[in-house]
Protein backbone atom coordinates (compact mmCIF):
# COMPACT_ATOMS: atom_id res chain seq x y z
CA UNK A 1 0.00 0.00 0.00
CA UNK A 2 1.38 3.37 -1.05
CA UNK A 3 1.44 6.37 1.27
CA UNK A 4 1.22 8.79 -1.67
CA UNK A 5 -2.01 8.90 -3.73
CA UNK A 6 -1.57 7.78 -7.35
CA UNK A 7 -2.34 11.19 -8.90
CA UNK A 8 0.17 12.91 -6.65
CA UNK A 9 2.75 10.22 -7.38
CA UNK A 10 2.35 10.82 -11.13
CA UNK A 11 3.05 14.54 -10.68
CA UNK A 12 6.02 13.82 -8.44
CA UNK A 13 7.48 11.41 -11.00
CA UNK A 14 7.31 14.14 -13.66
CA UNK A 15 9.58 16.31 -11.49
CA UNK A 16 12.47 14.19 -10.23
CA UNK A 17 14.59 17.31 -9.84
CA UNK A 18 12.58 18.23 -6.76
CA UNK A 19 13.59 16.78 -3.41
CA UNK A 20 10.11 15.74 -2.33
CA UNK A 21 11.24 14.61 1.10
CA UNK A 22 12.53 18.15 1.70
CA UNK A 23 9.22 19.65 0.53
CA UNK A 24 7.38 17.33 2.93
CA UNK A 25 9.76 18.14 5.80
CA UNK A 26 9.30 21.89 5.33
CA UNK A 27 5.52 21.53 5.12
CA UNK A 28 5.46 19.52 8.35
CA UNK A 29 7.60 22.10 10.15
CA UNK A 30 5.33 24.91 8.98
CA UNK A 31 2.26 23.01 10.15
CA UNK A 32 3.91 22.28 13.50
CA UNK A 33 4.80 25.97 13.95
CA UNK A 34 1.20 26.94 13.32
CA UNK A 35 0.02 24.39 15.88
CA UNK A 36 2.46 25.77 18.44
CA UNK A 37 1.19 29.29 17.81
CA UNK A 38 -2.42 28.16 18.18
CA UNK A 39 -1.53 26.35 21.41
CA UNK A 40 0.07 29.53 22.81
CA UNK A 41 -2.94 31.63 21.85
CA UNK A 42 -5.39 29.10 23.28
CA UNK A 43 -3.48 28.80 26.54
CA UNK A 44 -3.95 32.55 27.15
CA UNK A 45 -7.63 32.59 26.22
CA UNK A 46 -10.31 33.16 28.85
CA UNK A 47 -13.15 32.16 26.52
CA UNK A 48 -15.10 29.08 27.41
CA UNK A 49 -16.08 26.61 24.73
CA UNK A 50 -19.67 27.88 25.08
CA UNK A 51 -18.49 31.48 24.49
CA UNK A 52 -16.50 30.43 21.43
CA UNK A 53 -19.52 28.61 19.97
CA UNK A 54 -21.72 31.69 20.51
CA UNK A 55 -19.19 33.90 18.73
CA UNK A 56 -18.91 31.38 15.90
CA UNK A 57 -22.67 31.35 15.44
CA UNK A 58 -22.81 35.15 15.31
CA UNK A 59 -20.06 35.21 12.68
CA UNK A 60 -21.77 32.51 10.60
CA UNK A 61 -25.07 34.39 10.69
CA UNK A 62 -23.34 37.60 9.65
CA UNK A 63 -21.65 35.89 6.73
CA UNK A 64 -24.90 34.22 5.67
CA UNK A 65 -26.73 37.55 5.82
CA UNK A 66 -24.03 39.33 3.88
CA UNK A 67 -23.83 36.82 1.07
CA UNK A 68 -27.56 36.18 1.06
CA UNK A 69 -28.18 39.90 0.48
CA UNK A 70 -25.56 40.20 -2.28
CA UNK A 71 -26.76 37.30 -4.43
CA UNK A 72 -27.57 38.46 -7.92
CA UNK A 73 -25.75 41.78 -7.50
CA UNK A 74 -22.86 42.73 -9.75
CA UNK A 75 -21.01 45.18 -7.46
Amino acid sequence: MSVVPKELHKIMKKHPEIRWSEVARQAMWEYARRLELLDRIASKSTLSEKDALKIGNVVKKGIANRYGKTEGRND
Side-chain angles (χ1 to χ4, degrees):
M1 183 172 155
S2 178
V3 182
V4 178
K6 287 181 183 180
E7 274 190 56
L8 177 56
H9 190 257
K10 284 181 184 179
I11 295 169
M12 292 169 70
K13 290 290 259 182
K14 288 180 184 178
H15 299 280
E17 73 281 4
I18 295 174
R19 292 177 40 208
W20 292 105
S21 61
E22 180 64 16
V23 171
R25 186 188 68 75
Q26 288 178 11
M28 287 186 278
W29 268 113
E30 182 59 32
Y31 197 87
R33 286 184 194 104
R34 289 179 187 173
L35 286 175
E36 287 293 313
L37 175 61
L38 291 173
D39 287 343
R40 285 196 307 273
I41 292 169
S43 72
K44 296 175 185 177
S45 175
T46 58
L47 284 177
S48 69
E49 184 175 350
K50 186 177 176 180
D51 294 333
L53 289 172
K54 281 183 184 178
I55 292 169
N57 286 331
V58 169
V59 170
K60 287 178 190 177
K61 284 179 185 176
I63 292 170
N65 287 338
R66 178 177 182 182
Y67 287 101
K69 290 179 183 175
T70 61
E71 279 185 25
R73 289 174 57 186
N74 293 326
D75 295 351

